[in-house]
Amino acid sequence: MKHLPKSIKRIWFMMSIINLMGNLVILGAYFLAQHLWWSWLPDWGIIIWVTISLVIFVVELALIPYRYAVYQYAVYPTEVEIKKGFFWRRFSAIPIARVQNVDLQQGPLLRFQQLYRITVATGGSNHTIEALSHEQAVTLKDQVMALAREARNDQ
Amino acid sequence: MINKQHLHPFALLIKVGFLFRDFLPAVFGFVFLRQYWQIWLILPIVLLMWAGLDYYCFTYEMTDKELIVNSGVIIKQQRHIPYKQIQNLQRRQWFFLEPFGVETLIVDTGAKEKDQREVTLLAVSNVVRMLLDFNSSEPTDLTQLPVEPVKEMKKSTEYKIGFKELALYAMTNPDILGQFLFILVISNHLGLTDIISNASDTLVDHVSHYGLVAILIVLNVIILSLVVVNLVRVMLRFYGFMVLRQDNLLTVQRGLIQKSILHVSINRIQSIHIRQNIFRQIFGLVTVELDLIADATKSDEQKRVTLIPVISQDKVYSVLKEFLDYPPEQAPIINKGDWYTSWLFVRNALVGVGIVAMAMAIFYHGFWYWVALMPLVILAIIFGWYKGYYTGVNRYDDGHLALRTARQLTNDTALIGWHEIQSMSVDVSLLMVWTKRANLIVSVRSGNQVLRLRYRYLPTQEVEAIFKWYREYV
């Protein structure tokens, strides 16, 4: 099985920073509300919120290597396999003959690292590989689609 | 082959009926606007004209490869439906249309997009037989097609249902319990108003003398009328219920006031569900349902087709075997969950009860709080234990799985073939690695989406064997 490109770690790092910033924005709103309108809001609310955000941030950072290590995928002539999760592990098998299309997506963060998000769609269920380099993504797409066409013609 | 033509004129009648039904709420609104009485003249004329235009603009045509439908008054639409893409055919026939051989035909392609949904031919005659022949893979000489209603088609296998079974089906419907509680609550509210209006001392007198007898009579009347209402409802719905198989075509027919017929090709069936709620379990009865690919417009009830509303659990597999190719000869052997599986489900249910309990405690936590909590805890334990007991999976032959779980005291055995499973996943949490348990998730198509059937807390060994089979089956 193959791992995701290394640069995904950078993206996960950036995402946890964005999450932290989002939490800080909420904190700022709390602070503002306390001083401008609702003076009854307790101070310990701030402490709890800061603690929670920091703990989440640290845990997210600490988990990045684990996430990277367990996130794997593979394309075989008969199926696509995706393995992910550390605390909650999921191992999915998608037969090539069931694949209907493969989608490539790219959000701003992924674009920054020139990565693509892959979605393998069957008749309704979607399976995502979080990030692949452009080359990997296109190869995977071509490979899966070619195999899918073959499998369908066999039937 | 049918050349481009309009629907049967009865379509106009049905269309007007639909339009009036849709405008009914608006009509009630107009009742309050007496000064605009002219609306009563204008509205019917407008509706009739609209129905007429709609009828005029709607034409259909059948070539040797596809059904072509032109529709739309303002926005014209032309739909081409290759016969190969038809997932199933539904026919509805009001009783008053039967003598004319006219019926409504719904051609379902299982499309997801809004403007590609099913095509409804409101009133046609003799189209069905032709469509059915197109749907079968063998091309036939189209000019030689016989034109005959289903009744006279050659029967190969057939299953009918008796009155006694239907009556049992109606009475073991868990909805009755809900309706009963609902009526109790309502009558209780009415009773309260009586108490307020009467003097309280005469009331005490009254209750102590006649109360118990009166209450018993009222309860009996309520239960009896509920049973009758449900019986009539089920009879109307399943009157003349019949399943028929000809070659690869399955036909399910039912209904009294509006006859409803479904045709589906056997290899389009995605999964079979054999369900049994706890009341029917007492009588040894099961319900068989089918998952099909269908359009988004259907309600959940319609997405899952009832193949056999009620049948004895001893007979179900031998009867199913006659209609479908892949069910096992007899009930597949599925391991019952052990105490640990049951405990995990009980635990989950108790967590749910705990959340409700905490929310309740904010408002009140006196003596009656604990009294109210007890039944919830007991229910959670029963539900969880039942689910654990009935959760299990097994492969009953080379290419097919039997998967069973339960929900709200209804156990559900799904029979699914390898080709119908869209994908399969195994979920394991860190704790479950240690306790050697795994969740199996099987995706199958149903309606226009995918059902993710989850079978939780199974022994890792069993799950891995099935996952291995799924990955290596060719």
Side-chain angles (χ1 to χ4, degrees):
Chain A
M1 292 190 106
K2 286 184 225 157
H3 287 279
L4 304 188
K6 283 232 165 73
S7 42
I8 186 70
K9 288 195 206 171
R10 222 168 297 155
I11 285 174
W12 285 337
F13 177 68
M14 275 151 70
M15 272 159 78
S16 35
I17 288 181
I18 290 172
N19 280 345
L20 182 70
M21 281 180 356
N23 287 343
L24 289 181
V25 167
I26 295 174
L27 185 76
Y30 188 92
F31 194 72
L32 259 183
Q34 192 186 25
H35 281 260
L36 293 180
W37 304 295
W38 302 316
S39 50
W40 49 267
L41 285 172
D43 281 341
W44 49 262
I46 295 177
I47 299 166
I48 287 183
W49 193 248
V50 168
T51 323
I52 291 177
S53 340
L54 283 180
V55 167
I56 290 178
F57 181 64
V58 170
V59 169
E60 272 180 348
L61 286 191
L63 281 180
I64 285 176
Y66 289 99
R67 247 174 116 181
Y68 179 75
V70 292
Y71 211 126
Q72 294 172 40
Y73 72 97
V75 179
Y76 299 115
T78 51
E79 54 160 5
V80 178
E81 285 178 7
I82 302 170
K83 208 179 206 176
K84 57 174 112 172
F86 179 66
F87 288 112
W88 285 275
R89 299 167 185 191
R90 170 164 290 183
F91 190 5
S92 303
I94 310 129
I96 291 282
R98 298 280 95 78
V99 175
Q100 286 190 344
N101 52 298
V102 179
D103 295 341
L104 272 61
Q105 286 162 317
Q106 201 179 35
L109 272 185
L110 289 176
R111 192 173 308 163
F112 171 65
Q113 287 296 325
Q114 278 145 25
L115 294 176
Y116 288 84
R117 208 170 110 99
I118 317 296
T119 307
V120 180
T122 67
S125 71
N126 291 335
H127 299 266
T128 307
I129 301 173
E130 229 165 292
L132 288 182
S133 70
H134 180 70
E135 203 188 317
Q136 281 173 314
V138 172
T139 319
L140 183 131
K141 183 200 75 182
D142 291 344
Q143 198 182 353
V144 170
M145 289 320 285
L147 288 167
R149 263 194 302 276
E150 244 171 67
R152 224 161 274 152
N153 290 340
D154 282 352
Q155 274 181 352
Chain B
M1 225 185 296
I2 296 178
N3 292 329
K4 192 168 173 175
Q5 59 174 266
H6 291 284
L7 295 171
H8 193 279
F10 270 121
L12 210 56
L13 187 77
I14 300 174
K15 185 78 192 171
V16 169
F18 280 153
L19 279 174
F20 270 97
R21 189 193 63 190
D22 293 345
F23 274 89
L24 210 60
V27 168
F28 280 119
F30 289 133
V31 171
F32 298 104
L33 303 170
R34 288 231 183 105
Q35 64 269 43
Y36 301 119
W37 57 270
Q38 296 91 336
I39 203 84
W40 296 107
L41 293 178
I42 296 167
L43 189 72
I45 294 173
V46 169
L47 289 188
L48 276 175
M49 277 172 63
W50 180 261
L53 272 174
D54 193 77
Y55 175 81
Y56 178 75
C57 294
F58 194 104
T59 56
Y60 68 101
E61 179 182 351
M62 288 171 73
T63 67
D64 52 352
K65 283 201 182 68
E66 54 185 11
L67 171 70
I68 304 171
V69 176
N70 297 289
S71 64
V73 177
I74 295 163
I75 300 166
K76 299 273 176 202
Q77 197 188 21
Q78 186 172 52
R79 296 249 347 242
H80 295 255
I81 301 164
Y83 301 124
K84 269 190 175 176
Q85 268 183 25
I86 297 174
Q87 292 290 340
N88 60 67
L89 285 175
Q90 288 171 57
R91 302 156 64 184
R92 311 263 163 80
Q93 187 176 45
W94 290 100
F95 63 95
F96 53 84
L97 292 182
E98 202 171 335
F100 306 97
V102 175
E103 61 191 351
T104 299
L105 180 67
I106 300 164
V107 181
D108 199 331
T109 55
K112 276 177 208 155
E113 280 75 22
K114 209 175 165 188
D115 56 346
Q116 288 175 10
R117 281 178 187 166
E118 66 202 15
V119 164
T120 305
L121 304 176
L122 274 178
V124 287
S125 53
N126 296 332
V127 175
V128 176
R129 176 70 229 191
M130 304 184 75
L131 271 179
L132 289 180
D133 278 308
F134 289 135
N135 201 19
S136 66
S137 47
E138 295 300 309
T140 28
D141 183 4
L142 301 173
T143 50
Q144 297 297 314
L145 275 177
V147 179
E148 52 185 340
V150 150
K151 261 190 220 162
E152 293 147 32
M153 272 155 74
K154 214 181 85 205
K155 293 168 190 169
S156 47
T157 323
E158 178 184 290
Y159 177 76
K160 282 180 181 168
I161 199 160
F163 175 80
K164 212 179 96 186
E165 285 166 305
L166 271 184
L168 265 177
Y169 175 74
M171 279 186 291
T172 49
N173 189 345
D175 288 354
I176 288 191
L177 208 66
Q179 292 161 0
F180 181 66
L181 289 177
F182 178 74
I183 288 179
L184 271 195
V185 169
I186 289 216
S187 55
N188 194 21
H189 273 285
L190 297 177
L192 277 179
T193 52
D194 281 346
I195 291 168
I196 294 160
S197 60
N198 290 344
S200 55
D201 49 338
T202 54
L203 185 92
V204 171
D205 213 35
H206 186 75
V207 168
S208 56
H209 277 103
Y210 308 105
L212 198 61
V213 181
I215 286 172
L216 279 179
I217 291 174
V218 167
L219 278 186
N220 273 322
V221 168
I222 290 176
I223 292 174
L224 208 68
S225 48
L226 273 182
V227 167
V228 169
V229 166
N230 277 287
L231 197 60
V232 169
R233 214 181 55 171
V234 165
M235 289 322 272
L236 287 182
R237 191 159 170 232
F238 289 111
Y239 175 83
F241 186 92
M242 190 167 76
V243 186
L244 233 149
R245 177 179 173 170
Q246 299 136 311
D247 297 328
N248 272 333
L249 187 75
L250 204 65
T251 302
V252 184
Q253 180 180 316
R254 63 175 173 81
L256 181 62
I257 294 172
Q258 193 188 32
K259 194 195 273 179
S260 154
I261 300 171
L262 173 92
H263 299 290
V264 62
S265 172
I266 281 177
N267 41 33
R268 302 257 189 206
I269 292 170
Q270 300 297 309
S271 62
I272 306 172
H273 290 261
I274 296 160
R275 291 157 60 83
Q276 181 179 50
N277 71 39
I278 196 158
F279 304 112
R280 292 187 186 139
Q281 203 164 358
I282 298 167
F283 297 100
L285 300 172
V286 293
T287 302
V288 183
E289 289 168 353
L290 301 178
D291 266 325
L292 306 175
I293 299 172
D295 279 312
T297 40
K298 306 278 189 311
S299 66
D300 282 346
E301 194 190 3
Q302 285 171 310
K303 265 180 206 161
R304 212 170 243 190
V305 176
T306 307
L307 180 67
I308 303 175
V310 57
I311 186 169
S312 137
Q313 62 188 13
D314 307 323
K315 276 198 304 186
V316 63
Y317 286 96
S318 54
V319 170
L320 267 186
K321 191 76 192 167
E322 287 175 39
F323 288 101
L324 305 166
D325 296 328
Y326 68 80
E329 306 267 340
Q330 354 163 319
I333 298 154
I334 303 173
N335 286 338
K336 301 256 163 55
D338 58 5
W339 66 269
Y340 187 68
T341 305
S342 280
W343 154 245
L344 289 172
F345 282 117
V346 170
R347 180 200 67 183
N348 290 355
L350 285 178
V351 167
V353 169
I355 290 169
V356 172
M358 279 198 282
M360 266 162 63
I362 295 173
F363 302 105
Y364 172 75
H365 48 271
F367 172 72
W368 291 106
Y369 169 74
W370 298 104
V371 172
L373 210 56
M374 276 321 287
L376 279 181
V377 170
I378 292 170
L379 273 183
I381 291 172
I382 294 174
F383 275 52
W385 176 82
Y386 188 89
K387 186 166 188 166
Y389 185 76
Y390 279 109
T391 297
V393 294
N394 193 16
R395 190 157 59 84
Y396 67 82
D397 73 19
D398 208 34
H400 297 91
L401 291 182
L403 310 114
R404 185 177 60 200
T405 188
R407 199 167 190 188
Q408 282 146 16
L409 301 182
T410 302
N411 67 66
D412 180 329
T413 308
L415 307 173
I416 308 171
W418 187 89
H419 288 284
E420 277 68 53
I421 300 175
Q422 299 297 316
S423 66
M424 193 185 267
S425 302
V426 176
D427 274 11
V428 184
S429 78
L430 213 54
L431 184 72
M432 284 160 73
V433 173
W434 187 54
T435 55
K436 292 200 166 51
R437 300 282 151 161
N439 300 341
L440 184 70
I441 297 159
V442 177
S443 301
V444 282
R445 294 185 72 172
S446 166
N448 73 329
Q449 52 194 7
V450 154
L451 268 185
R452 297 171 66 81
L453 304 171
R454 298 182 72 195
Y455 301 88
R456 297 164 75 192
Y457 308 134
L458 298 162
T460 306
Q461 238 182 328
E462 286 178 25
V463 170
E464 270 176 358
I466 284 172
F467 197 56
K468 186 165 180 281
W469 161 79
Y470 184 66
R471 289 163 65 197
E472 288 168 4
Y473 186 86
V474 184

